[in-house]
């Protein structure tokens, strides 16, 4: 309990760092989750195109967007690692004096490292809770945003999303007749359930939390190694 108390006290004392880190984590978690859900939607439409015997150019267009989304996903994770590394590096320099005080008070290096990691874990779990609450409360808005974002990828072959956007604004009976008249294949508008969304969300949260803890451990370890020279004087 004392460790938890000290962790919250430090987070409150360095509240600017706490707020900035929470915002960065939340924004990137939402971004990479959106990208993975877009990949899921794109794959779903690719399967529909294959099943309907669509032409190869349309299929290749949708498949190319999977590669783009995958690159965006990897790029977002790398960018997150860069941002979080800069943040921990800057904050680590500010906390050098605090680390030295902890060592002079008799705290072991392992204890200090565990304490810092606990603080990072609290921040990342709080950010995860914020984003998950947002996805639950605004699920319909989130799904609608996914469909409209992906519509930009369908400039050349606007088959799937255009059908969904039409269906969103029409009664069920009218929608069925539109599909029958136009020859478009039907999509399940509510296909993205909370299970679909949070299946990727849990994985993304684990990835970002792991990166945050590793980066924090690295910079804290460097600070502890440098502090050893000071204490010998």
């Amino acid at each position: 309990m004392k460790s938890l108390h000290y962790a919250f006290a430090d987070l409150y004392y360095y509240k600017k760092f706490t707020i900035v880190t929470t915002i960065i984590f939340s924004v990137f978690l939402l971004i990479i989750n959106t990208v993975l859900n877009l990949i899921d939607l794109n794959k779903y439409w690719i399967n529909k195109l294959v099943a309907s015997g669509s032409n190869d150019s349309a299929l290749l267009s949708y498949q190319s967007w999977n590669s783009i989304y995958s690159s965006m996903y990897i790029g977002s994770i790398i960018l997150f690692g860069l941002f979080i590394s800069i943040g921990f590096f800057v904050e680590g320099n500010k906390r050098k004096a605090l680390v030295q005080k902890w060592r002079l008070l008799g705290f072991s290096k392992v204890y200090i490292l565990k304490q810092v990691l606990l603080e990072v874990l609290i921040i990342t779990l709080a950010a995860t809770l914020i984003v998950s609450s947002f996805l639950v409360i605004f699920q319909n808005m989130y799904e609608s945003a996914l469909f409209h974002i992906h519509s930009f990828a369908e400039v050349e072959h606007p088959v799937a999303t255009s059908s969904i956007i039409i269906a969103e604004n029409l009664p069920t009976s009218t929608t069925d007749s539109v599909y029958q008249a136009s020859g478009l294949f039907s999509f399940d508008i509510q296909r993205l359930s909370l299970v679909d969304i949070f299946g990727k969300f849990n994985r993304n949260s684990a990835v970002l939390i792991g990166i945050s803890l590793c980066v924090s451990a690295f910079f804290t370890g460097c600070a502890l190694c440098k502090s050893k020279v000071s204490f010998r004087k």
Side-chain angles (χ1 to χ4, degrees):
M1 289 298 292
K2 283 187 177 180
S3 295
L4 203 58
H5 174 74
Y6 291 150
F8 278 108
D10 280 341
L11 290 175
Y12 179 77
Y13 183 77
Y14 297 100
K15 51 182 173 290
K16 183 177 180 180
F17 169 77
T18 302
I19 294 172
V20 172
T21 305
T22 302
I23 292 174
I24 291 175
F25 189 95
S26 300
V27 169
F28 275 95
L29 179 56
L30 184 59
I31 289 174
I32 66 173
N33 204 71
T34 299
V35 173
L36 276 192
N37 286 149
L38 285 172
I39 291 175
D40 285 343
L41 287 174
N42 201 52
K43 287 180 178 178
Y44 177 74
W45 289 326
I46 286 174
N47 292 334
K48 285 290 187 179
L49 286 168
V50 172
S52 67
S54 181
N55 61 74
D56 292 338
S57 61
L59 189 59
L60 288 173
S61 177
Y62 280 91
Q63 289 173 339
S64 67
W65 276 99
N66 260 2
S67 299
I68 294 173
Y69 290 143
S70 297
S71 299
M72 289 173 61
Y73 179 75
I74 296 172
S76 297
I77 291 179
I78 294 174
L79 196 60
F80 169 78
L82 179 63
F83 271 89
I84 212 71
S85 296
I86 294 173
F88 283 130
F89 175 75
V90 173
E91 189 63 21
N93 287 331
K94 292 180 180 179
R95 292 199 186 193
K96 281 182 180 179
L98 179 62
V99 171
Q100 290 179 356
K101 288 180 181 178
W102 281 347
R103 292 290 285 130
L104 288 171
L105 289 171
F107 292 107
S108 67
K109 293 180 179 180
V110 174
Y111 176 84
I112 295 173
L113 179 61
K114 287 169 61 178
Q115 193 66 24
V116 173
L117 292 180
L118 178 59
E119 293 177 18
V120 174
L121 187 61
I122 291 173
I123 292 175
T124 54
L125 289 178
T128 301
L129 180 61
I130 292 171
V131 178
S132 62
S133 299
F134 172 83
L135 292 176
V136 170
I137 296 172
F138 300 102
Q139 180 189 354
N140 292 335
M141 184 186 300
Y142 178 73
E143 292 178 7
S144 178
L146 288 175
F147 290 130
H148 284 82
I149 289 172
H150 189 68
S151 67
F152 292 108
E154 301 184 325
V155 176
E156 295 181 1
H157 304 282
V159 180
T161 303
S162 60
S163 308
I164 291 173
I165 293 174
I166 292 172
E168 283 181 331
N169 298 289
L170 290 175
T172 304
S173 58
T174 309
T175 302
D176 293 338
S177 64
V178 168
Y179 280 129
Q180 293 172 2
S182 62
L184 298 174
F185 46 86
S186 175
F187 288 91
D188 182 2
I189 308 300
Q190 301 298 328
R191 193 186 71 84
L192 278 180
S193 64
L194 284 176
V195 175
D196 297 317
I197 294 173
F198 279 91
K200 296 297 186 292
F201 180 81
N202 294 333
R203 186 206 305 176
N204 293 328
S205 300
V207 170
L208 295 194
I209 290 175
I211 292 174
S212 301
L213 292 175
C214 289
V215 172
S216 176
F218 174 77
F219 285 110
T220 303
C222 290
L224 289 171
C225 289
K226 291 178 181 179
S227 69
K228 179 173 62 175
V229 178
S230 301
F231 299 127
R232 285 179 178 177
K233 291 182 180 180

